[in-house]
Amino acid sequence: MSQSSCKTIKTTCAYCGVGCGIEASVNETERQVLINGDDNHPANFGRLCSKGSSLGETIDVSSRLLTPYIGQQATDWNTALDAVASTFSQIIAEHGPDSVAIYGSGQLLTEDYYVANKLMKGFIGSANIDTNSRLCMSSAVSGHKRAFGTDTVPNCYDDLELADLVVITGSNMAWCHPISYQRIRAAKAKNPNMRVVVIDPRRTATCDIADLHLPLAGGSDVVLFNGLLNHLVNGQYLQQEYIDNHTQGFAEAVAAAQQDAGDLAEVALRTRLSERDLVTFYNWFAETDKVVTAYSQGVKQSSSGVDKVNSILNCHLATGRIGKPGAGPLSMTGQPNAMGGREVGGLATTLAAHMEFNIDGDTDRVARFWNAANMATKPGLPAVELFEAIAAGKIKAVWIMATNPVVSLPNADQVKAALQQCPFVVVSDCVANTDTLELAHIKLPAQGWSEKDGIVTNSERRLSHQRALLPPAGEAKPDWWIISQVGQRLGFKDAFNYQHQVEIFREHAALSGFENSSEQRLRDFDISAFANISQQQYEDFEPIQWPVNQQYPNGKERFFADGQFYTPNRKANFIALTGRAPGNLPDQEYPLVLNTGRLRDQWHTMTRSALAPRLNQHRPEPFVEVNPQDAAKYGLKDGHIAHLQSRWGQMYARVNVSESQVAGDVFVPMHWTEQYASKGRMGAVVNPVVDPVSGQPESKHTPIRIAPYQAEWHGFVLSRQPLPDAGIDYQVKVNCQGYLRYELAGYDQSSLSIDWVKQWLSQVYPALSWQYLDDAKLGLLRVAGYQGNSLMFVLCIATTPDIRMLPERNFLSSLFAKSQLQPDERLALLSGLPTAGAEDTGAQVCACFNVGEKTIRKAIRENGLTSYQEVGKCCKAGTNCGSCVPEIKTILASMVETQPA
Ligand SMILES: Nc1nc2c(c(=O)[nH]1)N[C@H]1C(S)=C(S)[C@@H](COP(=O)(O)OP(=O)(O)OC[C@H]3O[C@@H](n4cnc5c(=O)[nH]c(N)nc54)[C@H](O)[C@@H]3O)O[C@H]1N2
Ligand SMILES: Nc1nc2c(c(=O)[nH]1)N[C@H]1C(S)=C(S)[C@@H](COP(=O)(O)OP(=O)(O)OC[C@H]3O[C@@H](n4cnc5c(=O)[nH]c(N)nc54)[C@H](O)[C@@H]3O)O[C@H]1N2
Ligand code: SF4
Ligand SMILES: [Mo]
């Protein structure tokens, strides 16, 4: 990139709720962006993880939705917006405001989110606007409101470093909030007194820094924390003055905890943990003043998610450890603007600016501020119910923005069917193809990260500016603009007459301060200091934690150490809790528990992360992780394919036999969709049970059965061009540097032949010279296609159930990366045997420097390396973001074990 045409722009990462600051060097003419961490951003101080640092690889426009579509027909904005507005109008006129809905996302910017909520709740007159945050944050929101009277995260990231005990529960922070995890790792290295406890049914990468790992039974968190509350009471570890002066309901909570978890042996039984480990954890918690409990989806995505949250908050309130440096509960938000969504009231059950339907005067207050034409007066439907109402025909038009519910909602085949029969589906997205866009009547192209511009708020309530780096792709528009245009066309010209997003931000800031001085009901969320922000100040916006008002012009790090809460009498509530079993339990027919979650290098439904070749190498295929005992019991072999089935749906995934999984539990990553894996859409399998208070689905606990998929053949193709669906059971696409890789498997091999290959591939490659090897005896079918001397594709199929008959993918990939092949390489290509000097680097471990497992093993062996730091010095692996350090340590450990004595 030439220096002269570069400009440097500060922005925030597109991905997780850590909210890291980025310094981007932008070359507009080449549409290239170089990504570096922003040294001054308080979330990351210059560090970025593998996802953040590869953002530059994801901004190509080739996969983007570039223009609006009505049906299959490209159209202009006016026509598309008119069609959206007139159809919504008509349906509202005929069936009332509750017959339409918006389904939004924590990946919208605050300004987008604010306008969507205003349109639906203030002007269309229904609260049927919910968001994917229902699947993500809603149990934390409800738990906070029950305890504090408001949805406030009391602590901040610095506390992760200041603590002497960090309890990480239901969170694979090493992969999902990598930079926060790195901060804990670094703090622990400096503070010998610091301990880390990880509570997770799986042994995850996060356990790498754990002094204690509690592999509790899925869903048993309330019992575990009720047991802790008992321990605190029995050992007199309470902060009695705080309890007496600033809380209520303590006696009832203790009585319930004693009833539920008074007997340690029973707690051990129900949590599947040993009494010794329980006592260790309880003692550490009791005896350490500075304790932070960081929690995420293992806590929230549960049919007792809200109770789990309150069981944690109970223990922090009982010890007065809340909102203090190094002490307090910290809910880690998932999406880049999950917190912003909570501020604007993006959930169907809340109002804007932390106001509530069920608090006297709030609905009227919002209505007056907006001068609302049709203020909604009651909560709308939460996500799972909202899609059930679509299926039932009660909701007849839905507008989906920045989320992919056909993949991410539970019982996703039902969701798909609901959208198929819904009379009017509008989808705003950045990319051209998703499983949800396929069902849209109207597609609207939204600006994505690197083009859109607005404010986001991270897990610690810190607002940051996400800035535009490049001009929009094609006709893409900001989401706030699209929504405002529809608002105007629905007849609300004045209310949606925004020219620039700063006008929306000012309005949002003003609403947060509206009737929010001490005479009225005080609300915690107050950024009224920005109500008159100039455009220049907005452009220069520096990261700051809310509240930002007259009292706190520079923001505020922590809440509640002073014991002042937002309930009517200002006291926090203890909640009396009883542990409940998950909604569906395994039985003879469905004997295993399916747990789902995230991988280090993929983001959700892969629409952005899978565009970066280096993020696809760590775990290229959908997989199911099973304990060796279960593998033996169900006849599953490592590396082969399994069929998973629940009462709701089915999927295929590759088997990964692993001790990190407890027998009886299996784990599947949430990421694959029909765009990448023909039958790997995991949402289809997941049960639609929800928490009764928050409505958040139980994504971590579905009874399933598993069986080997009896593939008669396996194979893969490396191809320059994308290939069509081959109509087989297992076809997985992997984007690589300059080409694509497809993994294939099928049941029926009778149709496998050179002719079949030609028929399939000539759709994409009509005129090539073909080279092939078809050896029925050896069970080999190999085909390569050349254009002149350039290799266009190579296909390798083993017509036997034995996957070892396939050549090494990494070696073939290295050949494929070359544009021209020598004769010996052409031969090697079909034989699958490495040419002299070619090196097989093995499966990728370090995404930042693309270092493979075999390279690392070789470096260790040849240089006698004993620590991950030495490995880093030798081959760079693990020296950038550090997310692969746990894996490097596992490799080191395995090599120590296998070394001859
Ligand atoms: N790489 C990557 N990072 C991401 C994302 C991504 O897609 N990819 N997404 C972002 C988003 S939106 C979110 S919400 C966060 C989620 O971040 P996390 O919550 O950390 O991620 P998950 O993998 O969904 O689940 C966390 C862990 O909960 C455990 N668990 C399951 N059941 C239970 C239980 O009953 N009790 C306890 N204590 N633990 C249990 C699972 O085994 C899993 O390891 O990640 C964010 N960061
Ligand atoms: N089984 C199971 N299911 C889960 C989870 C789980 O752990 N297990 N986790 C749940 C959680 S926590 C979450 S957050 C969800 C995430 O699930 P989704 O929200 O469905 O997943 P994403 O892939 O993030 O979808 C975002 C979509 O918006 C598009 N997009 C990105 N930026 C913009 C923008 O600025 N404007 C517009 N209009 N579009 C944009 C992307 O291209 C993509 O299609 O999944 C939930 N579902
Ligand atoms: S931790 Fe990684 S994904 Fe999350 S904001 Fe930071 S760089 Fe982005
Ligand atoms: Mo999330």
Side-chain angles (χ1 to χ4, degrees), residues 430-742:
C430 318
V431 300
N433 299 300
T434 71
D435 294 359
T436 302
L437 272 167
E438 280 181 13
L439 307 175
H441 298 105
I442 296 194
K443 300 179 203 174
L444 303 174
Q447 291 179 4
W449 183 88
S450 83
E451 300 158 3
K452 62 181 182 179
D453 189 294
I455 302 295
V456 292
T457 311
N458 74 3
S459 295
E460 57 166 4
R461 293 176 276 105
R462 191 179 298 280
L463 293 91
S464 293
H465 198 155
Q466 194 175 103
R467 293 183 176 86
L469 311 175
L470 294 166
E475 296 290 309
K477 295 284 187 191
D479 286 289
W480 65 261
W481 182 90
I482 305 172
I483 303 158
S484 305
Q485 287 294 317
V486 170
Q488 292 188 27
R489 283 168 169 77
L490 286 171
F492 314 116
K493 272 235 150 17
D494 293 343
F496 295 92
N497 186 21
Y498 303 111
Q499 306 302 317
H500 188 278
Q501 64 273 23
V502 68
E503 297 165 13
I504 305 168
F505 186 68
R506 279 184 207 129
E507 187 180 313
H508 168 57
L511 175 56
S512 75
F514 183 60
E515 300 180 358
N516 193 14
S517 59
S518 50
E519 299 88 58
Q520 286 103 8
R521 182 178 87 82
L522 271 179
R523 306 186 304 269
D524 57 345
F525 175 67
D526 182 353
I527 54 165
S528 50
F530 297 123
N532 297 310
I533 187 174
S534 71
Q535 189 161 336
Q536 191 56 50
Q537 287 167 323
Y538 182 81
E539 317 255 289
D540 300 339
F541 195 96
E542 293 280 345
I544 190 164
Q545 275 176 296
W546 65 251
V548 194
N549 52 15
Q550 248 178 355
Q551 196 183 355
Y552 299 104
N554 300 315
K556 183 177 171 182
E557 288 174 307
R558 299 178 184 87
F559 275 86
F560 306 143
D562 61 359
Q564 293 302 303
F565 294 88
Y566 289 84
T567 51
N569 65 3
R570 301 264 160 233
K571 290 187 173 185
N573 295 311
F574 280 95
I575 308 293
L577 301 167
T578 305
R580 292 193 303 273
N584 285 300
L585 294 176
D587 53 24
Q588 266 188 324
E589 221 181 324
Y590 298 97
L592 295 166
V593 171
L594 171 70
N595 173 10
T596 58
R598 288 156 173 81
L599 296 179
R600 190 188 78 189
D601 290 351
Q602 291 297 350
W603 176 261
H604 296 168
T605 69
M606 296 168 61
T607 61
R608 178 178 292 282
S609 51
L611 301 176
R614 70 174 148 136
L615 294 183
N616 295 325
Q617 307 309 313
H618 184 237
R619 297 281 189 276
E621 281 180 87
F623 64 85
V624 52
E625 210 153 69
V626 290
N627 178 276
Q629 276 178 41
D630 285 329
K633 191 164 166 188
Y634 299 102
L636 306 169
K637 283 196 214 141
D638 193 53
H640 286 243
I641 297 166
H643 179 238
L644 285 74
Q645 170 119 41
S646 73
R647 290 203 166 80
W648 296 270
Q650 54 173 322
M651 68 176 288
Y652 294 92
R654 213 171 273 284
V655 175
N656 183 0
V657 179
S658 164
E659 293 278 359
S660 64
Q661 204 58 42
V662 172
D665 287 2
V666 305
F667 177 82
V668 165
M670 66 171 291
H671 305 294
W672 276 268
T673 69
E674 284 172 15
Q675 308 301 316
Y676 285 95
S678 54
K679 290 174 187 164
R681 190 164 49 86
M682 64 81 224
V685 183
V686 177
N687 59 190
V689 175
V690 300
D691 181 281
V693 181
S694 67
Q696 182 159 349
E698 184 148 72
S699 322
K700 305 279 188 250
H701 203 282
T702 303
I704 62 146
R705 64 171 173 241
I706 192 165
Y709 168 68
Q710 306 287 3
E712 288 294 315
W713 62 271
H714 300 263
F716 64 90
V717 189
L718 309 178
S719 170
R720 303 266 173 234
Q721 298 294 329
L723 302 179
D725 189 352
I728 53 179
D729 279 344
Y730 191 83
Q731 177 171 340
V732 174
K733 178 171 92 176
V734 189
N735 290 326
C736 306
Q737 193 69 51
Y739 65 96
L740 302 105
R741 176 175 128 204
Y742 290 85

